[in-house]
Coordinates of all heavy atoms in Angstrom, one line a residue:
E107 N 42.4 54.3 -25.6 CA 41.9 54.8 -24.3 C 41.9 53.8 -23.3 O 41.9 52.6 -23.6 CB 40.5 55.3 -24.5 CG 40.3 56.4 -25.6 CD 39.8 55.8 -26.9 OE1 40.1 54.6 -27.2 OE2 39.1 56.4 -27.7
S108 N 42.1 54.3 -22.1 CA 42.1 53.4 -20.9 C 41.7 54.1 -19.7 O 41.6 55.3 -19.6 CB 43.6 52.8 -20.7 OG 44.5 53.8 -20.3
G109 N 41.3 53.4 -18.6 CA 40.9 54.0 -17.4 C 39.5 54.0 -17.1 O 39.0 54.4 -16.0
G110 N 38.6 53.5 -18.0 CA 37.2 53.5 -17.8 C 36.8 52.4 -16.8 O 37.6 51.5 -16.5
G111 N 35.5 52.5 -16.4 CA 35.0 51.5 -15.5 C 33.8 51.9 -14.8 O 33.1 52.8 -15.3
S112 N 33.5 51.3 -13.7 CA 32.3 51.7 -13.0 C 32.6 52.3 -11.7 O 33.6 52.0 -11.0 CB 31.5 50.3 -12.7 OG 31.0 49.7 -13.8
V113 N 31.8 53.4 -11.3 CA 32.1 54.1 -10.2 C 30.8 54.7 -9.6 O 29.9 54.9 -10.4 CB 33.1 55.3 -10.5 CG1 32.4 56.2 -11.4 CG2 33.6 56.0 -9.2
Q114 N 30.7 54.9 -8.3 CA 29.6 55.5 -7.7 C 29.5 57.0 -7.9 O 30.6 57.6 -8.1 CB 29.5 55.1 -6.2 CG 29.3 53.7 -5.9 CD 29.2 53.3 -4.4 OE1 29.7 54.1 -3.6 NE2 28.4 52.3 -4.1
A115 N 28.4 57.5 -7.9 CA 28.1 58.9 -8.1 C 29.0 59.6 -7.0 O 29.0 59.3 -5.8 CB 26.7 59.3 -7.8
G116 N 29.7 60.7 -7.4 CA 30.6 61.6 -6.6 C 32.0 61.1 -6.6 O 32.8 61.8 -6.1
G117 N 32.2 59.9 -7.2 CA 33.6 59.4 -7.3 C 34.3 60.0 -8.5 O 33.9 61.0 -9.2
S118 N 35.5 59.5 -8.7 CA 36.4 60.0 -9.8 C 37.1 58.9 -10.6 O 37.2 57.8 -10.1 CB 37.5 60.8 -9.1 OG 37.1 62.0 -8.4
L119 N 37.4 59.3 -11.8 CA 38.1 58.4 -12.7 C 39.1 59.2 -13.4 O 38.9 60.4 -13.6 CB 37.1 57.6 -13.6 CG 36.2 56.5 -13.2 CD1 35.3 56.1 -14.3 CD2 37.1 55.3 -12.8
W120 N 40.1 58.5 -13.9 CA 41.2 59.2 -14.7 C 41.4 58.4 -16.0 O 41.9 57.2 -15.9 CB 42.5 59.1 -13.8 CG 43.6 60.0 -14.4 CD1 43.6 60.7 -15.6 CD2 44.9 60.1 -14.0 NE1 44.8 61.3 -15.9 CE2 45.6 61.0 -14.8 CE3 45.5 59.8 -12.8 CZ2 46.9 61.4 -14.7 CZ3 46.9 60.1 -12.5 CH2 47.6 60.9 -13.4
L121 N 41.0 59.0 -17.0 CA 41.1 58.4 -18.4 C 42.4 58.8 -19.0 O 42.9 60.0 -18.8 CB 40.0 58.8 -19.3 CG 38.5 58.5 -18.8 CD1 37.5 58.9 -19.8 CD2 38.4 57.1 -18.3
S122 N 42.9 58.0 -19.8 CA 44.2 58.2 -20.4 C 44.1 57.8 -21.9 O 43.5 56.8 -22.2 CB 45.4 57.5 -19.8 OG 46.6 57.9 -20.5
C123 N 44.6 58.6 -22.9 CA 44.7 58.4 -24.3 C 46.1 58.3 -24.8 O 46.8 59.3 -24.7 CB 43.9 59.4 -25.0 SG 44.0 59.3 -26.9
A124 N 46.5 57.1 -25.1 CA 47.8 56.9 -25.6 C 47.9 57.0 -27.1 O 47.2 56.4 -27.8 CB 48.5 55.7 -25.1
A125 N 48.9 57.9 -27.6 CA 49.0 58.1 -29.0 C 50.2 57.5 -29.5 O 51.3 57.7 -28.9 CB 48.9 59.6 -29.4
S126 N 50.2 56.8 -30.6 CA 51.4 56.2 -31.2 C 51.4 56.4 -32.7 O 50.4 56.6 -33.3 CB 51.6 54.7 -30.8 OG 50.4 54.0 -31.4
G127 N 52.6 56.3 -33.3 CA 52.7 56.6 -34.8 C 53.3 57.9 -35.0 O 54.0 58.4 -34.2
N128 N 52.9 58.5 -36.1 CA 53.5 59.8 -36.5 C 52.7 61.0 -35.9 O 51.8 61.5 -36.4 CB 53.3 59.9 -38.0 CG 54.1 61.1 -38.6 OD1 54.9 61.8 -37.9 ND2 53.8 61.5 -39.9
T129 N 53.1 61.3 -34.7 CA 52.5 62.3 -33.9 C 53.4 63.5 -33.7 O 53.1 64.3 -32.8 CB 52.0 61.8 -32.6 OG1 53.0 61.3 -31.9 CG2 51.0 60.7 -32.9
A130 N 54.5 63.7 -34.4 CA 55.5 64.6 -34.2 C 55.0 66.0 -34.6 O 55.4 67.0 -34.0 CB 56.8 64.3 -34.9
S131 N 54.2 66.1 -35.6 CA 53.7 67.4 -36.1 C 52.7 68.0 -35.1 O 52.2 67.3 -34.2 CB 53.1 67.2 -37.5 OG 51.9 66.3 -37.4
R132 N 52.4 69.3 -35.2 CA 51.4 69.9 -34.4 C 50.0 69.3 -34.7 O 49.7 69.1 -35.8 CB 51.5 71.4 -34.7 CG 52.7 72.2 -34.4 CD 52.7 73.6 -34.8 NE 51.7 74.3 -34.0 CZ 51.3 75.6 -34.3 NH1 51.8 76.2 -35.3 NH2 50.3 76.1 -33.5
Y133 N 49.4 69.1 -33.6 CA 48.0 68.5 -33.8 C 47.1 68.9 -32.6 O 47.6 69.5 -31.7 CB 48.1 67.0 -33.8 CG 48.8 66.4 -32.6 CD1 48.2 66.2 -31.4 CD2 50.2 66.0 -32.6 CE1 48.8 65.6 -30.3 CE2 50.8 65.4 -31.6 CZ 50.1 65.3 -30.4 OH 50.7 64.7 -29.3
C134 N 45.8 68.7 -32.8 CA 45.0 69.0 -31.7 C 44.3 67.7 -31.3 O 44.3 66.7 -32.0 CB 43.8 69.9 -32.2 SG 42.9 69.3 -33.7
M135 N 43.9 67.6 -30.1 CA 43.3 66.4 -29.5 C 42.1 66.8 -28.7 O 41.8 67.9 -28.3 CB 44.3 65.7 -28.6 CG 45.5 65.2 -29.4 SD 46.6 64.1 -28.4 CE 45.6 62.6 -28.2
A136 N 41.2 65.8 -28.6 CA 39.9 66.0 -27.8 C 39.4 64.8 -27.2 O 39.7 63.7 -27.7 CB 38.9 66.7 -28.8
W137 N 38.6 64.9 -26.3 CA 37.8 63.8 -25.7 C 36.3 64.1 -26.0 O 35.8 65.2 -25.9 CB 37.9 63.8 -24.2 CG 39.1 63.1 -23.8 CD1 40.3 63.7 -23.4 CD2 39.4 61.7 -23.6 NE1 41.3 62.7 -23.0 CE2 40.7 61.4 -23.1 CE3 38.5 60.6 -23.8 CZ2 41.1 60.2 -22.8 CZ3 39.0 59.3 -23.5 CH2 40.3 59.1 -23.0
F138 N 35.6 63.0 -26.5 CA 34.2 63.0 -26.8 C 33.6 61.9 -26.0 O 34.2 61.0 -25.4 CB 34.0 62.6 -28.3 CG 34.4 63.7 -29.2 CD1 35.7 64.0 -29.6 CD2 33.4 64.5 -29.8 CE1 36.1 64.9 -30.5 CE2 33.8 65.5 -30.8 CZ 35.1 65.7 -31.1
R139 N 32.3 62.0 -25.9 CA 31.5 61.0 -25.3 C 30.2 60.8 -25.9 O 29.6 61.7 -26.6 CB 31.3 61.2 -23.8 CG 30.3 62.3 -23.4 CD 30.3 62.6 -21.9 NE 29.4 63.7 -21.5 CZ 29.2 64.1 -20.3 NH1 29.9 63.6 -19.3 NH2 28.5 65.1 -20.1
Q140 N 29.6 59.6 -25.9 CA 28.4 59.3 -26.4 C 27.6 58.3 -25.6 O 28.1 57.2 -25.3 CB 28.4 58.8 -27.9 CG 27.2 58.6 -28.6 CD 27.3 58.4 -30.1 OE1 28.3 57.9 -30.5 NE2 26.3 58.8 -30.9
A141 N 26.4 58.6 -25.3 CA 25.5 57.8 -24.5 C 24.4 57.3 -25.4 O 23.9 58.1 -26.3 CB 25.0 58.5 -23.3
P142 N 23.7 56.2 -25.1 CA 22.6 55.8 -25.9 C 21.5 56.8 -26.0 O 21.1 57.5 -24.9 CB 22.0 54.6 -25.1 CG 23.2 54.0 -24.4 CD 24.1 55.2 -24.1
G143 N 21.0 57.2 -27.2 CA 20.0 58.1 -27.3 C 20.4 59.6 -27.4 O 19.7 60.6 -27.4
R144 N 21.7 59.8 -27.3 CA 22.3 61.1 -27.4 C 23.3 61.3 -28.5 O 23.9 60.2 -29.0 CB 23.0 61.5 -26.0 CG 22.2 61.4 -24.8 CD 23.0 61.7 -23.6 NE 22.2 61.6 -22.3 CZ 22.8 61.7 -21.1 NH1 24.0 62.1 -21.0 NH2 22.0 61.6 -20.1
E145 N 23.5 62.5 -29.0 CA 24.5 62.7 -30.0 C 25.9 62.7 -29.3 O 26.0 63.0 -28.1 CB 24.3 64.1 -30.7 CG 23.0 64.2 -31.5 CD 22.9 65.4 -32.3 OE1 23.2 66.5 -31.7 OE2 22.8 65.4 -33.5
R146 N 26.9 62.5 -30.1 CA 28.2 62.5 -29.7 C 28.5 64.0 -29.2 O 28.4 64.9 -30.0 CB 29.2 61.9 -30.7 CG 30.7 61.9 -30.1 CD 31.4 60.9 -31.1 NE 31.5 61.4 -32.4 CZ 32.0 60.6 -33.4 NH1 32.5 59.5 -33.3 NH2 32.0 61.1 -34.7
E147 N 29.2 64.1 -28.1 CA 29.5 65.4 -27.5 C 30.9 65.6 -27.2 O 31.6 64.7 -26.6 CB 28.7 65.5 -26.2 CG 29.0 66.8 -25.4 CD 28.4 66.8 -24.0 OE1 28.1 65.8 -23.5 OE2 28.3 67.9 -23.4
R148 N 31.4 66.7 -27.7 CA 32.9 67.0 -27.4 C 32.9 67.6 -26.1 O 32.3 68.7 -25.8 CB 33.4 68.0 -28.5 CG 34.9 68.2 -28.3 CD 35.5 69.2 -29.4 NE 35.1 70.6 -29.2 CZ 34.3 71.3 -30.0 NH1 33.9 70.7 -31.2 NH2 34.0 72.5 -29.8
I149 N 33.6 67.1 -25.1 CA 33.6 67.5 -23.8 C 34.8 68.3 -23.4 O 34.8 69.1 -22.4 CB 33.4 66.4 -22.8 CG1 34.5 65.3 -23.0 CG2 32.0 65.7 -23.0 CD1 34.4 64.2 -21.9

C-alpha cells in the first residue's frame, strides 16, 4: 500500500495497492481499515 499520510479534515487522499506475483487468476480485492479501539472494518 502507498499514499497514506496526514491531511486536514475535508481534504483528500489517494491510496494505491500494488499487487505482484501470481495474480493472473480471477481474484477479489478489498480495502480494510483499523483504528485503535475498533474492529477491523471492510470499507
Side-chain angles (χ1 to χ4, degrees):
E107 303 95 335
S108 62
S112 298
V113 65
Q114 292 184 332
S118 300
L119 284 174
W120 189 0
L121 305 184
S122 182
C123 174
S126 62
N128 187 16
T129 60
S131 61
R132 296 177 63 188
Y133 56 82
C134 56
M135 297 185 72
W137 278 97
F138 290 77
R139 69 183 181 186
Q140 186 169 27
R144 301 179 184 176
E145 291 187 313
R146 187 162 58 189
E147 175 189 21
R148 187 178 72 243
I149 58 174

